[in-house]
Amino acid sequence: MILLKTDEEIEKLRVSNQLVSRILGELARAIRPGVTTRSLDKLAEEYIRDHGGVPGFLGYNGFPATLCTSLNDEVVHGIPSDYALKEGDIISVDCGVKLNGYFGDSAYTFAIGEPDPAWKALMLTTRESLFKGIEKARIGNRVGDIGHTIQVHAEKAGYSVVREMVGHGLGRNLHEEPEVPNFGRRGSGVKLKAGMVLCIEPMINLGTRYISQDTDGWTIRTRDGKPSAHYELAIAVRRGEPDILSTFKYIEDILN
Ligand code: MG
Ligand code: MG
């Protein structure tokens, strides 16, 4: 069942999603060569608790951390560890919080130093595909319009779209209906209505779209070992423009 949100609930979701956005901004400050992914996780957990929230991923289906930190060929669900970031790595950081009963969920792929230009191009196109998808999140369009737009943008650049993991509704639950695939046919799927809150989150690979799961039961990586990028924002479907509840502003003010 798709739970439509009232204007009041959308404002609560904005607060939760703005908290996630600010955490990712703090991480943008901290990410540099030599920093361990575990220390990023600790920073995020402290920031969330200092601001009255609860980590949204910690304990979710048994996930052991606050952040998903997915390096290089890891697509999503990487577990923070003692690995120290090094020049040329890319890392996708996904963060969820629960605040006042509502979830925030956002992700961003960071470069450490100067990665391979082909990797940076992948990041740029993935970010672009997210915003192109968001543009389609309008009353009367369908979920397939979002996925189709993302897929076309990524594939036109020669990349592939991960199929097994998808975006989702967001509210009092971290994952609600509908699923929001990053691929699909125009005009297909659930019709978008005012009050739907969706996380749109393209996971785009430089090489094959096929993935595998590590023996840790979580980490998803590309089968060919080539890199993957992941960006996620939460949006509310409303009259007029898509209302973007989270933001990359805090991150990109630091990076640029
Ligand atoms: Mg996420
Ligand atoms: Mg999500």
Side-chain angles (χ1 to χ4, degrees):
M1 190 177 61
I2 298 173
L3 301 168
L4 299 178
K5 277 74 186 184
T6 63
D7 288 353
E8 196 182 9
E9 286 184 293
I10 290 172
E11 291 318 307
K12 288 181 177 167
L13 283 160
R14 192 187 313 280
V15 172
S16 304
N17 279 284
Q18 288 291 313
L19 177 57
V20 170
S21 301
R22 292 204 306 274
I23 294 160
L24 291 175
E26 291 301 311
L27 295 175
R29 250 183 248 280
I31 286 172
R32 61 173 67 90
V35 167
T36 67
T37 52
R38 199 189 302 284
S39 72
L40 298 175
D41 192 70
K42 187 163 182 283
L43 192 158
E45 181 172 358
E46 284 174 4
Y47 193 93
I48 292 168
R49 297 199 190 278
D50 284 351
H51 290 80
V54 176
F57 298 165
L58 185 63
Y60 185 81
N61 294 332
F63 189 75
T66 293
L67 299 177
C68 295
T69 53
S70 307
L71 286 148
N72 302 323
D73 67 327
E74 296 172 1
V75 178
V76 286
H77 304 165
I79 301 173
S81 71
D82 292 325
Y83 178 85
L85 298 175
K86 60 180 203 301
E87 183 83 23
D89 282 341
I90 63 171
I91 184 170
S92 300
V93 180
D94 197 343
C95 183
V97 304
K98 189 180 186 183
L99 180 64
N100 302 321
Y102 289 84
F103 280 90
D105 184 13
S106 185
Y108 197 88
T109 302
F110 298 88
I112 292 86
E114 275 304 313
D116 185 310
W119 295 28
K120 287 205 82 166
L122 169 71
M123 291 165 61
L124 191 68
T125 298
T126 306
R127 186 188 180 287
E128 284 169 358
S129 74
L130 167 59
F131 284 95
K132 287 183 180 291
I134 288 172
E135 262 307 297
K136 300 294 176 186
R138 292 169 186 273
I139 295 170
N141 280 354
R142 290 178 183 269
V143 163
D145 294 313
I146 297 173
H148 178 78
T149 299
I150 291 170
Q151 180 179 15
V152 165
H153 190 68
E155 291 183 350
K156 211 171 53 189
Y159 305 135
S160 67
V161 176
V162 173
R163 303 286 205 276
E164 293 84 348
M165 265 92 42
V166 297
H168 51 92
L170 185 74
R172 288 186 170 277
N173 307 291
L174 179 59
H175 295 123
E176 295 185 357
E177 291 180 31
E179 290 193 341
V180 185
N182 300 298
F183 59 94
R185 277 183 302 113
R186 203 182 279 150
S188 71
V190 168
K191 201 174 225 180
L192 301 180
K193 288 187 184 159
M196 283 187 183
V197 173
L198 307 174
C199 285
I200 303 178
E201 49 178 317
M203 289 151 258
I204 307 295
N205 297 347
L206 185 63
T208 180
R209 74 175 175 86
Y210 294 102
I211 56 168
S212 63
Q213 189 174 46
D214 285 8
T215 52
D216 64 16
W218 285 104
T219 310
I220 302 290
R221 65 179 73 236
T222 60
R223 281 222 195 138
D224 60 6
K226 291 184 179 170
S228 185
H230 178 211
Y231 294 81
E232 174 179 23
L233 290 169
I235 59 97
V237 178
R238 315 183 83 162
R239 249 178 266 284
E241 295 294 306
D243 186 1
I244 307 178
L245 305 179
S246 43
T247 177
F248 295 148
K249 176 182 185 298
Y250 303 111
I251 299 169
E252 292 175 353
D253 280 354
I254 302 290
L255 299 183
N256 300 324

